Amino acid sequence: MKEKKYKCLLVDDEPVAIRIIKNHLSHFDDFELLAGCTNPIDALSFLQRGDIDLVFLDIEMPVLTGMELVKTLSSPPAIVFTTAHRNFAVDAFEIEALDYLLKPITLERFAKTINRFIESKKFLPQQETSDEGVYLNIKSDKKKHRVNCADIVYIESLADYVVVHLDALKLVTKERISHFEEKLPTAKFIRVHRGYIVNSDRITSFYGNTIELGKIKIPVGRNYKADLDGFLN
C-alpha cells in the first residue's frame, strides 16, 4: 500500500525563494509539492480545496500579504512563514504559525521545521463516533484518554499547549487549539476567542464580551463576536 505523503504549497513572490525551498523539500520523501505560487491570489485556489497539509508562506507580497492570506482561511493548514524580516515573528505566532524561517534558509534549519511538523502530527486529537456519542482520543500525561465530547466544558490555549477542561478533570496536551477546532462537532462547539473554544450546551449567559459557563467566565474576542451571535441565534 502506498504511503500517504504530506501535500505542500509554496507561496512567495520571488521565484528564487521558491526554488530554494523546493530544493530543500526534495530531500524529504514524505512530502509532496503540489505547487509554487508567486501570486497569493493564485494560492487561494489551492488552499480552498482543503487538501493542503503544509504551506511555506512569504509575508511581504503585493496585493495580499502572507498574514492577510492566512486570515482569509477559516481552517488554515500548518503555516510556516518565510521572510527576510524578524519583526513579524510575534504576529506570526499570534495566528498559531508552526514556524518562522528567516531568509536565507539553510537546509539544517529547514529540517528542524520538517521535524516540528512531523512531531505535531503525532499529537493530533483523533475523533471516533459510537452509539454513546462523539469521542476524542487525547494524549496527555503519557496516556491516551478517550473523552466524550459532551463532557468537555471548554478548551483553552496556553502557548504551545492546550488544556481540555472537563467536569472533574483537566487534560494538558502539546497541541494547537486549531486542531481541536477541526475535530470537535461543529454543531456543539464554537470558538469564541483566539484562546478558547466552548461547549455551547454549557453556556448559561452571554453579555457584552463575556460568556458564562456556570461560574466560569470566558472572554469573547472581537473577531469572534459576530459568529457567536449567529451561532446562538
Side-chain angles (χ1 to χ4, degrees), residues 8 22-23 31 43-44 62 65 71 87 97 117 128 145 188 193 196-197 208 227 229 231:
C8 303
K22 182 178 179 181
N23 183 62
F31 292 80
L44 275 174
T65 70
K71 291 176 181 178
N87 54 309
F117 173 80
E128 61 174 272
H145 301 262
K188 293 291 184 182
H193 186 277
Y196 292 95
I197 297 173
D227 288 342
D229 286 335
F231 185 90

Side-chain angles (χ1 to χ4, degrees), residues 89-214:
V90 173
D91 292 335
F93 289 111
E94 281 286 316
I95 60 176
E96 299 181 347
L98 176 75
D99 211 343
Y100 188 89
L101 297 179
L102 285 173
K103 300 175 181 178
I105 302 166
T106 66
L107 179 58
E108 179 183 8
R109 181 63 181 87
F110 187 86
K112 289 182 179 180
T113 297
I114 293 296
N115 289 335
R116 178 176 292 183
F117 173 80
I118 292 173
E119 284 297 313
S120 73
K121 290 298 179 182
K122 293 180 181 178
F123 295 95
L124 281 176
Q126 299 298 317
Q127 186 192 97
E128 61 174 272
T129 303
S130 71
D131 293 338
E132 293 80 29
V134 179
Y135 287 78
L136 287 185
N137 294 319
I138 302 171
K139 291 184 178 180
S140 176
D141 194 26
K142 298 180 180 180
K143 300 176 184 178
K144 181 179 285 188
H145 301 262
R146 186 170 182 264
V147 175
N148 190 327
C149 290
D151 295 332
I152 297 174
V153 181
Y154 69 100
I155 293 174
E156 179 182 14
S157 176
L158 295 174
D160 293 333
Y161 292 85
V162 163
V163 182
V164 180
H165 294 263
L166 308 171
D167 286 314
L169 181 68
K170 294 180 182 179
L171 298 178
V172 180
T173 182
K174 187 174 175 60
E175 190 48 78
R176 292 159 52 193
I177 195 170
S178 58
H179 289 152
F180 278 89
E181 188 176 17
E182 293 171 7
K183 294 294 183 180
L184 289 165
T186 55
K188 293 291 184 182
F189 289 85
I190 181 168
R191 192 163 183 177
V192 298
H193 186 277
R194 185 171 51 83
Y196 292 95
I197 297 173
V198 302
N199 184 339
S200 62
D201 287 341
R202 303 302 185 101
I203 297 175
T204 53
S205 64
F206 172 33
Y207 57 92
N209 294 320
T210 302
I211 274 183
E212 288 187 341
L213 314 174

